[in-house]
Amino acid sequence: MSPANLVEITGLNISFGNNSVVENVSMALKRGEITTLIGPNGAGKTTLVKAVLGLLSPTSGTIKRSSALRIGYMPQKLHIDTTFPLTVARFLKTAAFASIEDRIVALQSVRAEHLLKQSVHSLSGGEMQRVLLARALLRKPELLVLDEPAQGVDINGQTELYKLIASIRDKYNCAVLMISHDLHLVMAATDQVICLNHHICCSGHPEQVSADPSYIELFGIPGAESLALYSHHHNHQHNNHGDILPLPDEQESDHHHCGGHH
Amino acid sequence: MPEFLLLALLGGIGVALVAGPLGSFVVWRRMAYFGDTLAHSALLGIAVGVLFDINFNLAVVSCCVILALILVSLQRQRLVATDTLLGIMAHSSLSLGLVAVALLDDVRVDLMEYLFGDLLAITPTDLFWIYGGGGVVMLLIWKLWNPLLAVTINEELAQVEGVPVARIRLALMLLIGVVIAIAMKVVGILLITSLLIIPAASARRLASSPEQMAVIASLLGVVAVILGLSASMQFDTPAGPSVVVAALVQFLLLYSLPIRSVA
């Protein structure tokens, strides 16, 4: 296992009964890198993530983790029954391994210290996601795994949340593995995109993936377009998308303009 | 106070105390129907106890645990929806128990006593079981409190954080099995779940933390036992159902009062 890799997956297959969900996936997660899993519903993204977390065992193939890897996990949804009286403070306290200082620091790094005494049932979608992120940070993670972190968050909150995730990566120098549907929002802060439809359709830097025919086949031109938009934002030299995305010049400059605001 | 009344009071209070925290978990984890299913299988335990001449309490606990294990493994196979599965198991285990008891024709088992409880016939031996078993349950809940909460919040998150989820879940089922065995004498198989969930549901109205809810549920349970027993003496009504009615009155009162909702 290469020392730069925190997790190395080789030839991973996972099936439930006769239903093959993850097929021949090989990938690596590196310290300090954000990896985003994209793909249609039912493509096996959550299954792959659960295998990385060790919640599911592979049908075949291997998942190597660096020794004593600390993983912080933010589940897709946290359904807490309303009959369960729980404040944010008490919720974080059930992570028994963390000290009070850890809990305060974690809440501060997601800018949610003011929520400490609130009931978890009164939080908005965005507030809840930030509290969950704080919980994941309590582990002082080397690898942060986020399953659709922006679910149920309004559009302004989403942009902010993804910025927050990028800043956490910088602060903790951890690897981030996340599932996202918000292609246009995550791409700017992603180092590696893996496009999954049971098998890996394509992977690489956002710009490479956006130009890949299998990506366009999977998401259609609109998805690819919004991705290209962000590649432009990053690197204005990129005109080679024209081959795949025949955009008139006028429209393209529009995109430049639009990108500048984000 | 006549001795039988003192024994009844002590027995009821012992069960109410331990039902508070455990009942809270039943409410939080939506296990009410699950508890009912386990309780229904207790009669089968009695029949097995008579048949093999084992202590009834042990027989009931083992029967509940075995049923819980079967339930979990069937749930994994997803043959039918969980509520259907619970319905099938609850009523067939009760029927199996009734049939088995009827077949043991040389032994007379007082069915009413097991179905609805016989609080006023509690013996010092029963008290020993209630406080011994209840004490062990309380100690385990105390020890496992935090992992139990973590598993209740989210099992996958708990597992990633290193909580032994499968063992904690098993422990919770075991604890519910023990409480059913010891509470059977007080309210009977058919009413046990109510003693678990009604005080806990009432306590939710007043609690702002899981700890508060557990403690308040215990206290409300104790009050219900005292009120129910007094009413039973006063109006000559059956003791177990009277306790449940007292708990219901508390619940209705608490939910009709305008209390500011907390946490």
Side-chain angles (χ1 to χ4, degrees):
Chain A
M1 190 165 164
S2 143
N5 292 347
L6 293 175
V7 176
E8 253 179 45
I9 299 174
T10 331
L12 180 71
N13 286 287
I14 299 174
S15 42
F16 302 115
N18 292 326
N19 190 10
S20 175
V21 180
V22 172
E23 291 164 4
N24 195 26
V25 165
S26 300
M27 59 187 269
L29 301 174
K30 291 186 175 63
R31 189 178 293 280
E33 264 196 20
I34 297 184
T35 304
T36 304
L37 274 179
I38 56 174
N41 285 331
K45 303 185 296 290
T46 298
T47 305
L48 177 57
V49 159
K50 283 186 180 170
V52 170
L53 290 168
L55 294 171
L56 282 175
S57 19
T59 309
S60 68
T62 55
I63 301 176
K64 284 187 204 153
R65 299 178 190 83
S66 71
S67 65
L69 179 66
R70 286 191 310 275
I71 301 179
Y73 171 48
M74 179 171 163
Q76 190 178 84
K77 242 188 231 159
L78 198 64
H79 176 81
I80 300 176
D81 204 278
T82 49
T83 55
F84 196 172
L86 197 64
T87 59
V88 170
R90 189 65 187 87
F91 168 66
L92 293 178
K93 210 177 150 196
T94 55
F97 46 83
S99 66
I100 301 176
E101 294 78 33
D102 288 347
R103 298 201 290 269
I104 304 279
V105 169
L107 267 187
Q108 279 167 349
S109 51
V110 299
R111 292 191 290 281
E113 26 335 352
H114 59 287
L115 300 174
L116 197 65
K117 293 206 168 112
Q118 278 201 36
S119 158
V120 292
H121 304 298
S122 68
L123 301 182
S124 72
E127 287 171 340
M128 189 67 202
Q129 296 306 88
R130 275 189 285 161
V131 169
L132 284 179
L133 195 53
R135 169 89 183 215
L137 292 178
L138 289 180
R139 298 274 290 173
K140 301 197 175 74
E142 297 163 285
L143 168 63
L144 195 57
V145 178
L146 315 168
D147 192 346
E148 292 193 37
Q151 210 183 43
V153 180
D154 64 56
I155 190 81
N156 293 326
Q158 285 183 7
T159 317
E160 204 184 318
L161 192 66
Y162 286 121
K163 269 188 204 154
L164 189 62
I165 291 167
S167 77
I168 282 167
R169 184 266 314 263
D170 297 340
K171 188 171 161 191
Y172 287 74
N173 190 31
C174 54
V176 177
L177 172 65
M178 67 175 159
I179 296 177
S180 177
H181 283 302
D182 316 299
L183 306 177
H184 54 295
L185 288 175
V186 288
M187 288 311 163
T190 295
D191 301 296
Q192 184 186 205
V193 181
I194 293 177
C195 178
L196 192 75
N197 191 13
H198 302 299
H199 62 285
I200 293 181
C201 293
C202 48
S203 66
H205 286 287
E207 298 111 74
Q208 290 170 340
V209 169
S210 70
D212 196 294
S214 64
Y215 173 83
I216 293 162
E217 194 188 321
L218 207 55
F219 287 101
I221 297 293
E225 210 173 56
S226 64
L227 190 52
L229 165 78
Y230 266 80
S231 310
H232 282 237
H233 176 51
H234 258 305
N235 186 345
H236 292 255
Q237 305 299 314
H238 274 243
N239 287 322
N240 58 342
H241 294 302
D243 296 338
I244 301 119
L245 304 168
L247 296 170
D249 279 359
E250 189 191 340
Q251 204 176 334
E252 202 161 344
S253 64
D254 225 33
H255 281 173
H256 279 271
H257 182 66
C258 185
H261 278 298
H262 280 270
Chain B
M1 194 188 294
E3 200 199 335
F4 77 92
L5 196 56
L6 184 67
L7 289 175
L9 205 56
L10 286 177
I13 288 174
V15 169
L17 285 176
V18 68
L22 214 54
S24 300
F25 280 105
V26 172
V27 169
W28 296 332
R29 295 176 60 85
R30 303 192 166 204
M31 291 169 83
Y33 208 11
F34 174 84
D36 236 8
T37 306
L38 287 196
H40 282 38
S41 74
L43 195 62
L44 199 56
I46 298 285
V48 171
V50 174
L51 198 60
F52 297 101
D53 196 23
I54 332 171
N55 177 290
F56 280 10
N57 290 294
L58 284 181
V60 168
V61 173
S62 352
C63 202
C64 287
V65 171
I66 290 168
L67 191 86
L69 293 177
I70 295 174
L71 251 174
V72 170
S73 69
L74 282 179
Q75 237 176 330
R76 283 217 191 102
Q77 305 190 11
R78 297 170 190 277
L79 296 170
V80 285
T82 301
D83 63 329
T84 310
L85 189 65
L86 286 171
I88 292 171
M89 296 197 72
H91 299 110
S92 41
S93 63
L94 182 62
S95 303
L96 275 173
L98 289 168
V99 168
V101 168
L103 285 177
L104 302 166
D105 50 7
D106 52 332
V107 202
R108 240 195 98 253
V109 175
D110 184 2
L111 268 183
M112 287 305 273
E113 182 187 323
Y114 291 110
L115 292 180
F116 297 105
D118 197 357
L119 189 48
L120 299 177
I122 278 186
T123 62
T125 320
D126 292 327
L127 268 195
F128 167 78
W129 276 98
I130 290 173
Y131 280 87
V136 172
V137 170
M138 284 295 231
L139 194 71
L140 281 171
I141 291 182
W142 179 269
K143 282 269 180 205
L144 299 177
W145 185 252
N146 202 63
L148 277 169
L149 288 183
V151 168
T152 300
I153 288 168
N154 186 290
E155 296 196 349
E156 287 177 339
L157 184 59
Q159 193 160 346
V160 171
E161 290 178 351
V163 176
V165 172
R167 267 189 284 163
I168 295 292
R169 269 169 48 184
L170 189 66
L172 187 60
M173 286 179 196
L174 207 83
L175 295 177
I176 294 176
V178 173
V179 168
I180 285 170
I182 63 173
M184 199 165 57
K185 192 84 180 192
V186 175
V187 283
I189 290 164
L190 297 179
L191 300 178
I192 284 173
T193 321
S194 62
L195 208 59
L196 285 170
I197 62 173
I198 300 178
S202 308
R204 173 65 183 100
R205 215 39 194 154
L206 303 169
S208 57
S209 74
E211 292 76 15
Q212 275 182 17
M213 182 155 152
V215 171
I216 296 173
S218 288
L219 296 178
L220 287 176
V222 168
V223 173
V225 165
I226 295 170
L227 289 178
L229 261 181
S230 323
S232 163
M233 289 290 102
Q234 189 78 32
F235 308 110
D236 194 24
T237 49
S242 304
V243 170
V244 176
V245 170
L248 172 71
V249 170
Q250 285 178 339
F251 174 83
L252 293 176
L253 269 176
L254 279 169
Y255 275 81
S256 54
L257 292 178
I259 303 169
R260 202 169 58 88
S261 93
V262 277

